[in-house]
Amino acid sequence: MKRKLPWYGRLTEVLMPLLGPADLGRQDDAPPRTVREVECPLCHHPMSEHRLEQVGGKNRHYCPA
């Protein structure tokens, strides 16, 4: 005896032979890089443009602007 599926289960059974499984891309593709540069809260330039120093145990941050 076959168990009665909910409506979405029956819909999946009908559509799966027509559409197939989800297309996830090729196996040899590298995942997309989503590297975002951190922004300075004061001048909004990238932090890589700033100079950071530690003076007397305190951190100092110098903006390029």
Side-chain angles (χ1 to χ4, degrees):
M1 184 169 140
K2 191 172 183 182
R3 215 174 78 165
K4 185 173 179 179
L5 295 173
W7 67 270
Y8 50 85
R10 293 190 304 266
L11 180 66
T12 301
E13 281 188 342
V14 170
L15 293 179
M16 188 60 85
L18 300 173
L19 302 176
D23 184 18
L24 301 176
R26 297 186 332 204
Q27 290 284 338
D28 57 347
D29 284 347
R33 293 191 55 172
T34 55
V35 176
R36 211 178 108 207
E37 181 72 37
V38 178
E39 186 178 272
C40 174
L42 302 174
C43 68
H44 303 290
H45 282 87
M47 285 299 286
S48 61
E49 297 177 3
H50 291 66
R51 191 173 49 145
L52 301 173
E53 292 181 359
Q54 192 172 28
V55 179
K58 295 183 181 179
N59 293 328
R60 302 258 174 148
H61 142 233
Y62 299 97
C63 293

